[in-house]
Amino acid sequence: MSRHLIHTALAVALTLSTAFGTSDKQPNIILVFIDDMGWGDFSCFGNTEASTPHIDRMAKEGIAFEQFYVNSPICSPSRTAITTGQYPQRWKITSFLNHRQDNKRRGMAQWLDPKAPVLARFLKQAGYTTGHFGKWHLGGQRDVGEAPLITKYGFDESLTNFEGLGPRVIALKNTPKSKKPARHAMGSDTLGRGEIQYVDRSEVTATFTAAALDFVKRAEASQTPFYLNLWPDDVHTPAIPHLDQWGDGKNRTLYHAVLQNMDAQFAPLFDYIRNNEKLRDNTIVLICSDNGPEVGYGSPGPFKGSKATLFEAGIRSPLIVWAPGLIPTEKKGSRNTTSVFSAIDLIPSLLEITQTSAQAEFDGENISATLLGKSQASRHAPLFFRRPPDRTSHRNQHNLPDLAIRSGQWKLLCDYDGSTPRLFNLTTDPGESTNLAGVKPELAKKLAAQILKWHASMPADLGPELERK
């Protein structure tokens, strides 16, 4: 595997220190990965049209990060990155996993290779019990029924939706015009390989949360540290709240109802952890989104773009880290507005915090001190991005940039060959409104050379070919 431009990648046979406290108890970890939510959708991140009080309370007791990035503006590659600590291009997952022929058309793998480094597997080897509850979308959807089960990636148990295999929940879409609720299965109900339960779409997150809470209680009873993914379908379209929340039926109305329901449905798990002294002092909860919002639904906040684009709204996510027993008292309720890091950095950081060794090489860096409020450091290496191969346009946004790099305060977007450079100073222009490539040509040239070198070092997809069609 290339180590090109990975300035502080962790080496093979990584040995991690024990710098985080003197307790011999390994901290529990909960990763809440919301689907298609905008940077500005939590009320603690500026939403005035909807309220997310349970998530806001976690922010008031933890740290909110404003310059956190995911590593792709679309589902499956973003999930690959946060699962492996590596750029998703390494595993040829560069857009959402679809049916077999479409994956092939775009030059993609059919599923995440089980040989990939996975945080759950490392933690399981270190004595953790591990569970995945919610959307997977790393293989086993549409007509791809032979993909590995989620338990092949280091999870002891799982419950997923129509975009994964094993036990799963299929949503029933119930609208004011429905004579009979329609299954949102996308072929999953024909694949077998796991028991299926059918649940009203408005209660799917509650079902995943209940399963996650049961998992936590069993781990607690066995005195075993736990790692769990809680990855809801929400707030991905179709936005279908309870029937009495339909209101005027407009996209934003429905979206905000789903957002508020999701927040309320997280509450039983959040409250259980918060009100249990042993768990509260030894559990880390991380809350973020997999990519930016769909146009016309979520809020991009002050940023340009949307889901599927490399502009800030597509790849910047709110991040809340709640860990009362590990965060300094004076940092609780604080906001970190300066530290720049991404989803690939979470894996080596959590390995450090849990004192877990890993036989792996990561593109991510250890920023554990920043996560826990003991530093304001950013990652050292630039962040690199490549657009999904099938997204030259998205929802009336045309001629989308192919590549992007974030380096310090600067961001450059360009085409595959480095042409059409767009250079922005994100400190003074977070909305990417003033292109400075003509004002600072040498800087634009330098950043373009870096992103092109990274792009060439990654396995190719068929983006250039699809762009010519």
Side-chain angles (χ1 to χ4, degrees), residues 179-330:
K179 293 182 179 179
K180 180 181 179 181
R183 293 180 178 181
H184 189 59
M186 304 288 285
S188 180
D189 50 352
T190 70
L191 297 179
R193 303 188 66 194
E195 180 182 353
I196 295 176
Q197 54 179 307
Y198 295 92
V199 175
D200 190 274
R201 178 69 181 85
S202 63
E203 292 293 328
V204 170
T205 293
T207 303
F208 290 140
T209 303
L213 180 54
D214 182 60
F215 169 85
V216 167
K217 290 178 178 179
R218 284 185 277 113
E220 182 186 16
S222 65
Q223 299 185 30
T224 306
F226 63 81
Y227 167 75
L228 76 86
N229 286 341
L230 179 56
W231 292 9
D233 294 62
D234 296 331
V235 288
H236 196 292
T237 58
I240 301 179
H242 297 107
L243 289 178
D244 61 2
Q245 297 174 304
W246 209 261
D248 59 15
K250 293 181 179 179
N251 290 345
R252 291 278 286 174
T253 300
L254 300 177
Y255 179 88
H256 283 140
V258 170
L259 176 69
Q260 293 185 145
N261 287 345
M262 176 188 71
D263 176 76
Q265 290 170 8
F266 286 155
L269 177 63
F270 290 172
D271 289 347
Y272 187 80
I273 299 294
R274 291 179 65 258
N275 296 327
N276 183 313
E277 183 177 349
K278 291 183 179 179
L279 294 180
R280 183 180 66 247
D281 292 339
N282 200 44
T283 299
I284 304 169
V285 180
L286 303 98
I287 308 169
C288 58
S289 178
D290 67 341
N291 50 250
E294 188 57 273
V295 175
Y297 288 87
S299 170
F303 305 118
K304 179 179 179 177
S306 70
K307 171 184 179 176
T309 78
L310 298 183
F311 297 114
E312 288 294 283
I315 54 177
R316 199 188 288 208
S317 165
L319 172 67
I320 293 167
V321 176
W322 180 92
L326 297 172
I327 293 174
T329 301
E330 67 273 14

Side-chain angles (χ1 to χ4, degrees), residues 10-16 357-361:
L10 300 186
V12 175
L14 178 68
T15 301
L16 296 151
S357 297
Q359 297 282 337
E361 214 171 67

Side-chain angles (χ1 to χ4, degrees), residues 396-454:
N396 294 319
Q397 301 169 92
H398 302 293
N399 301 314
L400 295 174
D402 299 324
L403 304 170
I405 176 174
R406 171 76 196 262
S407 180
Q409 70 196 59
W410 297 100
K411 182 178 178 185
L412 180 89
L413 304 102
C414 63
D415 293 339
Y416 288 125
D417 61 0
S419 62
T420 320
R422 310 179 205 185
L423 177 66
F424 303 103
N425 183 333
L426 294 182
T427 299
T428 59
D429 182 22
E432 299 170 287
S433 60
T434 304
N435 184 358
L436 299 176
V439 178
K440 294 183 173 290
E442 292 303 315
L443 177 60
K445 183 178 179 180
K446 174 185 174 182
L447 293 176
Q450 287 182 283
I451 187 61
L452 291 177
K453 197 171 184 180
W454 172 83

Side-chain angles (χ1 to χ4, degrees), residues 54-372:
H54 302 285
I55 292 168
D56 293 352
R57 185 171 58 186
M58 302 297 275
K60 289 177 182 177
E61 298 172 357
I63 303 174
F65 293 88
E66 294 190 1
Q67 295 212 54
F68 171 75
Y69 288 84
V70 290
N71 299 99
S72 175
I74 205 163
C75 180
S76 299
S78 181
R79 291 161 193 271
T80 298
I82 206 167
T83 296
T84 66
Q86 297 178 336
Y87 284 113
Q89 289 80 13
R90 293 196 183 279
W91 300 100
K92 296 184 72 67
I93 297 180
T94 53
S95 188
F96 75 101
L97 287 170
N98 198 5
H99 57 76
R100 191 182 319 278
Q101 190 59 38
D102 195 42
N103 294 337
K104 183 177 180 181
R105 177 184 72 88
R106 297 172 294 162
M108 290 173 49
Q110 297 292 346
W111 55 74
L112 178 62
D113 190 331
K115 295 178 183 177
V118 175
L119 177 61
R121 184 182 296 118
F122 296 137
L123 293 177
K124 182 177 179 179
Q125 292 167 351
Y128 278 70
T129 185
T130 56
H132 176 93
F133 305 94
K135 182 173 179 175
W136 177 242
H137 214 172
L138 295 177
Q141 69 293 315
R142 281 65 165 182
D143 62 351
V144 186
E146 77 279 23
L149 296 175
I150 295 170
T151 50
K152 292 294 184 181
Y153 296 88
F155 292 97
D156 292 311
E157 59 183 273
S158 69
L159 178 66
T160 188
N161 72 343
F162 67 95
E163 288 170 318
L165 297 171
R168 51 199 185 274
V169 174
I170 300 296
L172 298 174
K173 297 185 291 184
N174 195 16
T175 74
K177 296 181 180 180
S178 300
K179 293 182 179 179
K180 180 181 179 181
R183 293 180 178 181
H184 189 59
M186 304 288 285
S188 180
D189 50 352
T190 70
L191 297 179
R193 303 188 66 194
E195 180 182 353
I196 295 176
Q197 54 179 307
Y198 295 92
V199 175
D200 190 274
R201 178 69 181 85
S202 63
E203 292 293 328
V204 170
T205 293
T207 303
F208 290 140
T209 303
L213 180 54
D214 182 60
F215 169 85
V216 167
K217 290 178 178 179
R218 284 185 277 113
E220 182 186 16
S222 65
Q223 299 185 30
T224 306
F226 63 81
Y227 167 75
L228 76 86
N229 286 341
L230 179 56
W231 292 9
D233 294 62
D234 296 331
V235 288
H236 196 292
T237 58
I240 301 179
H242 297 107
L243 289 178
D244 61 2
Q245 297 174 304
W246 209 261
D248 59 15
K250 293 181 179 179
N251 290 345
R252 291 278 286 174
T253 300
L254 300 177
Y255 179 88
H256 283 140
V258 170
L259 176 69
Q260 293 185 145
N261 287 345
M262 176 188 71
D263 176 76
Q265 290 170 8
F266 286 155
L269 177 63
F270 290 172
D271 289 347
Y272 187 80
I273 299 294
R274 291 179 65 258
N275 296 327
N276 183 313
E277 183 177 349
K278 291 183 179 179
L279 294 180
R280 183 180 66 247
D281 292 339
N282 200 44
T283 299
I284 304 169
V285 180
L286 303 98
I287 308 169
C288 58
S289 178
D290 67 341
N291 50 250
E294 188 57 273
V295 175
Y297 288 87
S299 170
F303 305 118
K304 179 179 179 177
S306 70
K307 171 184 179 176
T309 78
L310 298 183
F311 297 114
E312 288 294 283
I315 54 177
R316 199 188 288 208
S317 165
L319 172 67
I320 293 167
V321 176
W322 180 92
L326 297 172
I327 293 174
T329 301
E330 67 273 14
K331 291 295 183 179
K332 294 174 184 177
S334 66
R335 299 186 79 83
N336 182 319
T337 63
T338 59
S339 299
V340 178
F341 60 99
S342 78
I344 56 174
D345 301 310
L346 297 181
I347 306 305
S349 302
L350 292 171
L351 289 172
E352 170 73 22
I353 292 168
T354 60
Q355 306 169 24
T356 301
S357 297
Q359 297 282 337
E361 214 171 67
F362 299 103
D363 296 318
E365 300 179 12
N366 174 14
I367 47 86
S368 50
T370 298
L371 279 184
L372 297 182

